[in-house]
Amino acid sequence: MQKENCIFCKIANHEIPSHKVFENEEVLAFLDLSQVTKGHTLVIPKQHADNVYDLSSESAQAVFATIPEISRALQQETGAAGMNLLSNTGKVAGQSVSHFHLHLIPRHDKHDGFGAKWEVHNEEYTAEELATIAESIKNRL
Ligand code: AMP
Ligand code: ZN
């Protein structure tokens, strides 16, 4: 299903152009217009889902099934030393387009344009607290 006025639905539907790198029946991968590093690619399900909460297992499987092959192609093309896979859900996490997408960002070094702040708060969580948190989450699944 397409969603009206969704820019990525329009790209998936070939209503607006993109620099396509991969396509099958369920999935499209194209270059991000704002290249964080060379080859920065977005992988989307053609079926609209706002974000990861909204994504069907079928779309998730279809998207993730393509990731190793696309990542290898990006690595070979760019000579990247590493790769970040990133999906932003919600404004607070930096999501600007409400159609699920996975960023593939080839990485060269720590100062190549991409960075994620990663503050660790180990002192706030004892082993008992971690066990309680894990149990509570598990009970929701
Ligand atoms: P996010 O901020 O995680 O929602 O990522 C959305 C990404 O979509 C941004 O990095 C934009 O540069 C990219 N983007 C927006 N419009 C287009 C477009 N028409 N073609 C390619 N990339 C786009
Ligand atoms: Zn959409």
Side-chain angles (χ1 to χ4, degrees):
M1 269 286 276
Q2 309 289 304
K3 190 173 176 186
E4 219 179 323
N5 296 325
C6 171
I7 188 164
F8 285 1
C9 281
K10 289 188 173 144
I11 288 176
N13 229 7
H14 308 113
E15 286 169 40
I16 62 174
S18 68
H19 296 286
K20 189 167 74 181
V21 301
F22 174 87
E23 181 169 19
N24 66 19
E25 255 187 37
E26 292 129 343
V27 178
L28 185 73
F30 54 98
L31 294 183
D32 193 308
L33 270 186
S34 304
Q35 294 275 282
V36 171
T37 61
K38 180 184 170 186
H40 176 187
T41 293
L42 301 174
V43 187
I44 65 169
K46 289 186 177 175
Q47 172 145 17
H48 181 89
D50 283 347
N51 54 43
V52 73
Y53 302 137
D54 194 30
L55 193 65
S56 68
S57 298
E58 291 75 18
S59 284
Q61 282 181 44
V63 166
F64 278 86
T66 70
I67 300 306
E69 193 181 2
I70 298 171
S71 298
R72 284 192 289 269
L74 286 176
Q75 196 282 323
Q76 287 161 14
E77 180 60 25
T78 64
M83 183 88 58
N84 280 107
L85 278 63
L86 175 73
S87 183
N88 301 321
T89 288
K91 277 205 178 93
V92 70
Q95 184 174 17
S96 63
V97 175
S98 289
H99 179 130
F100 177 83
H101 50 281
L102 195 62
H103 294 260
L104 301 185
I105 306 172
R107 298 300 308 278
H108 300 279
D109 59 58
K110 285 191 172 171
H111 308 290
D112 58 9
F114 181 77
K117 203 167 153 216
W118 200 270
E119 260 176 29
V120 177
H121 299 277
N122 279 346
E123 70 287 352
E124 293 175 24
Y125 301 98
T126 63
E128 291 74 29
E129 280 162 341
L130 292 178
T132 305
I133 294 166
E135 190 62 24
S136 300
I137 297 168
K138 198 170 75 184
N139 290 338
R140 293 178 184 275
L141 293 169

